[in-house]
Amino acid sequence: MAVVDRGFQLVINAGCLVVMAFILCVVFILLASVHDSGSDVCVNGTLRFASYYGDHMVLQKSPERAVVWGYGPEGAQVTLFVTGPINHKPSAVTVTKGIWRVTLDPVDAGGPYNVTAAFQGCTATLTDVLFGDIWLCGGQSNMYFKTSQIFNASEELTLAAKYPHVRTFMAALNLSESELTDLIKVELPWSVPTASVVAEFSAVCWLFGRYMYEKLKYPIGLVQSCWGGTPVEAWSSSRALQRCGLEKYTDSPKVRNSVLWNAMIHPLLNMTIYGAIWYQGEQNADYHQDKYNCSFPAMIDDWRMAFHQGSEGQTAPLRMFPLYVQLSTYKKYSTDDGFPNIRWHQTADVGFVPNPRMKKTFMAVALDLPDETSPFGTIHPRDKQDVAYRLTLGARAVAYNEEGVHFLGPFPIQILVNNMDISVTYDQAISVTLSKDVFEVCCSDIKAVCGFKSRWVPAHILQTGLTSIQVFATLCQTSDEVAALRYAWKDWPCDFKACPVYSSSRVLPAPPFIINRYPEKEDVWKS
């Protein structure tokens, strides 16, 4: 009986050994698979990258130096390796206050690379990393507007997979009352484009990146951080708002000062980027409208400074925020001045950019792209292709210093007045369609500045020349004189691509303007 029991026990022991061996094999296989996938092999996650670094990402190419950072055990010596077509010299750094940070040597455009952080046998690796130019896309709902919602969406989504070197990333919508070091959450991690990915991504951002890739022929990284229905104050730091006398406000959460700067922009400052595009202003047509000529330029200045400092000088300040979209349209036949005023304030009340107050910037005019039947509301026009194309013209000329790129629409350089007959000379050859009311004059019997509430009457176009337009005001009284001239000063000034004045090629619309005669404007007004 004892022999039987001993044999039975041996069988049990042998079975246990087999089971244990099987379990160990499974564990080893799982560890090996984790290591092969390039993921964090530290069991407790003590070494990791910041939230907006990941597989398939784009890092800023040379001559700038990409900044890479993450988290690790205090005092640990972390070494960063960049391996791929060209292996680069490892960089070592000590973890301080739980964070490690490395500024890489310049890397030429291309890839793919692996970027590995390591200490004491613990590694975290980013795979399929490309080096190229990174563009940040910010603003409100017209920037958030999805590619699946635009005209010809199915055609655009079919093309997405043909641009594997244009990579996308989206920050999640979050608020914070204080400046954060990292994003609270990521909505879309870095991704190789597919129809399903691009469908949910910003149309303006995606189209801009795709068009720029076709020109540059090297990787483009697109970082979307925007939120519909938000004013410029929410995206601005407290120091920028203080410059404009804007104190704390307690409106709805996403309208409060600096809450989106704190949660969705400040965390990105450590990343080296090439530039930013911006589409916002609709909310400010009703919210601190009269401050936008200060708050918007102040935000640009502050972002430039902050991204430059945050990236240890790698993000070029004057190139960082070069591109934005002037407001399109909202209410047809509206007499409200909200949208026209914001369009003017978007230029710091100059009428065009670049200008001395807004240096090295570009504005894509969009007031000639209305969409009366948009199922998403007229405030959301579906033609984002033209918006993105006009942005690329500005990017090529202003951000990439490409010569010979025509990127600005016509703007007046001289206004010659003879009673009610006004001759407007532009800074370039123009293409003109006759109109009876898109030009307006301010009729006044005193020599004073005309404001938005002054008496404005239509001035119809009589004739045109190569660079000039003659308009005539018939509704002014004989005792009045022309005290100011304005153009396209309406929420909805014209139908689709049918404004009166364009560049000679009819590609670029003239921006709206309001030019006063008094105090004397000797550089523009002539009698």
Side-chain angles (χ1 to χ4, degrees):
M1 191 68 170
V3 173
V4 174
D5 290 342
R6 183 184 301 173
F8 183 68
Q9 186 67 43
L10 288 173
V11 170
I12 292 175
N13 290 342
C16 289
L17 289 173
V18 170
V19 172
M20 290 177 63
F22 175 75
I23 292 172
L24 287 172
C25 286
V26 170
V27 170
F28 288 140
I29 290 170
L30 289 174
L31 287 174
S33 67
V34 169
H35 182 74
D36 290 343
S37 70
S39 301
D40 183 359
V41 301
C42 306
V43 175
N44 57 2
T46 53
L47 182 67
R48 59 188 174 92
F49 290 89
S51 66
Y52 47 87
Y53 295 87
D55 296 345
H56 315 301
M57 78 173 302
V58 177
L59 289 172
Q60 183 57 44
K61 73 169 186 66
S62 63
E64 287 77 27
R65 302 168 66 195
V67 175
V68 181
W69 69 279
Y71 305 93
E74 187 67 23
Q77 189 82 358
V78 174
T79 303
L80 199 72
F81 301 88
V82 179
T83 57
I86 300 175
N87 293 333
H88 293 263
K89 182 178 67 176
S91 302
V93 65
T94 301
V95 177
T96 305
K97 296 182 179 178
I99 291 175
W100 56 267
R101 174 184 171 122
V102 173
T103 302
L104 302 179
D105 290 334
V107 180
D108 291 339
Y113 287 87
N114 283 353
V115 179
T116 300
F119 84 97
Q120 297 179 351
C122 181
T123 65
T125 300
L126 310 177
T127 63
D128 187 32
V129 174
L130 304 179
F131 282 80
D133 286 342
I134 298 179
W135 284 87
L136 172 63
C137 303
Q140 59 177 110
S141 57
N142 269 305
M143 181 62 83
Y144 196 85
F145 198 78
K146 300 175 182 179
T147 309
S148 59
Q149 298 172 315
I150 63 173
F151 286 128
N152 301 321
S154 58
E155 178 183 343
E156 187 60 45
L157 296 178
T158 299
L159 290 172
K162 297 182 179 180
Y163 294 89
H165 288 173
V166 182
R167 306 288 176 84
T168 55
F169 174 91
M170 189 190 307
L173 307 182
N174 278 291
L175 311 170
S176 175
E177 295 295 336
S178 60
E179 293 181 341
L180 302 182
T181 302
D182 203 352
L183 296 174
I184 297 172
K185 184 180 177 182
V186 171
E187 183 68 26
L188 173 71
W190 283 100
S191 304
V192 179
T194 63
S196 59
V197 166
V198 173
E200 299 299 307
F201 196 73
S202 161
V204 170
C205 191
W206 168 255
L207 291 166
F208 172 81
R210 182 169 78 75
Y211 295 164
M212 290 307 302
Y213 175 80
E214 290 173 347
K215 178 65 180 178
L216 299 172
K217 305 300 184 186
Y218 59 69
I220 299 291
L222 302 171
V223 177
Q224 176 182 333
S225 186
C226 53
W227 195 337
T230 53
V232 73
E233 291 83 357
W235 297 100
S236 303
S237 72
S238 58
R239 61 178 171 268
L241 295 174
Q242 287 171 4
R243 292 172 53 184
C244 303
L246 290 164
E247 304 299 331
K248 282 279 186 181
Y249 287 88
T250 56
D251 292 284
S252 63
K254 65 179 181 179
V255 172
R256 289 202 301 270
N257 288 1
S258 305
V259 290
L260 302 180
W261 157 265
N262 293 337
M264 297 178 65
I265 299 299
H266 189 270
L268 303 174
L269 297 184
N270 292 343
M271 174 184 277
T272 306
I273 68 174
Y274 194 87
I277 60 176
W278 178 257
Y279 197 161
Q280 188 273 336
E282 298 92 340
Q283 187 71 17
N284 286 99
D286 297 314
Y287 185 78
H288 298 162
Q289 178 196 123
D290 60 332
K291 292 285 190 176
Y292 202 80
N293 57 355
C294 178
S295 57
F296 181 48
M299 189 198 81
I300 291 176
D301 291 342
D302 189 70
W303 277 33
R304 285 173 163 176
M305 178 273 295
F307 274 89
H308 182 65
Q309 292 183 354
S311 63
E312 298 183 349
Q314 295 307 306
T315 298
L318 286 182
R319 195 185 60 212
M320 184 267 140
F321 203 135
L323 310 175
Y324 63 94
V325 183
Q326 193 179 46
L327 288 193
S328 184
T329 54
Y330 182 22
K331 297 177 181 178
K332 197 170 187 178
Y333 309 120
S334 172
T335 58
D336 184 81
D337 279 338
F339 267 43
N341 290 350
I342 288 295
R343 291 188 190 115
W344 185 245
H345 293 337
Q346 285 179 304
T347 69
D349 297 353
V350 174
F352 59 87
V353 296
N355 64 50
R357 178 63 186 85
M358 301 176 71
K359 298 176 181 178
K360 198 75 175 177
T361 56
F362 169 74
M363 176 181 72
V365 178
L367 82 172
D368 67 326
L369 303 174
D371 186 357
E372 193 169 0
T373 60
S374 173
F376 311 102
T378 54
I379 202 169
H380 299 125
R382 287 167 288 174
D383 178 14
K384 301 306 189 201
Q385 289 90 338
D386 280 295
V387 172
Y389 175 69
R390 292 171 184 177
L391 286 169
T392 62
L393 295 179
R396 289 164 58 188
V398 176
Y400 289 94
N401 299 311
E402 183 180 341
E403 295 183 359
V405 179
H406 188 198
F407 69 104
L408 292 176
F411 199 82
I413 56 173
Q414 179 177 285
I415 300 172
L416 181 63
V417 180
N418 181 16
N419 294 324
M420 296 300 155
D421 188 347
I422 306 113
S423 179
V424 184
T425 301
Y426 285 85
D427 56 5
Q428 59 184 270
I430 54 178
S431 175
V432 182
T433 303
L434 297 183
S435 167
K436 293 183 178 181
D437 60 358
V438 181
F439 281 97
E440 296 173 292
V441 298
C442 175
C443 305
S444 178
D445 58 0
I446 61 172
K447 295 182 178 181
V449 173
C450 289
F452 305 133
K453 302 302 181 183
S454 299
R455 181 171 179 255
W456 294 90
V457 301
H460 62 271
I461 298 174
L462 291 175
Q463 59 186 16
T464 67
L466 179 64
T467 62
S468 63
I469 296 175
Q470 186 181 13
V471 300
F472 187 70
T474 60
L475 299 180
C476 288
Q477 299 177 7
T478 56
S479 60
D480 291 339
E481 68 172 1
V482 175
L485 178 71
R486 69 186 187 184
Y487 170 75
W489 206 269
K490 295 182 176 68
D491 180 324
W492 194 301
C494 56
D495 290 329
F496 186 77
K497 292 189 178 180
C499 281
V501 186
Y502 285 82
S503 60
S504 59
S505 64
R506 293 200 63 81
V507 171
L508 296 170
F513 67 79
I514 180 170
I515 301 177
N516 269 283
R517 189 175 184 178
Y518 304 106
E520 295 292 339
K521 293 270 188 180
E522 295 181 359
D523 57 333
V524 178
W525 284 91
K526 306 291 181 182
S527 299

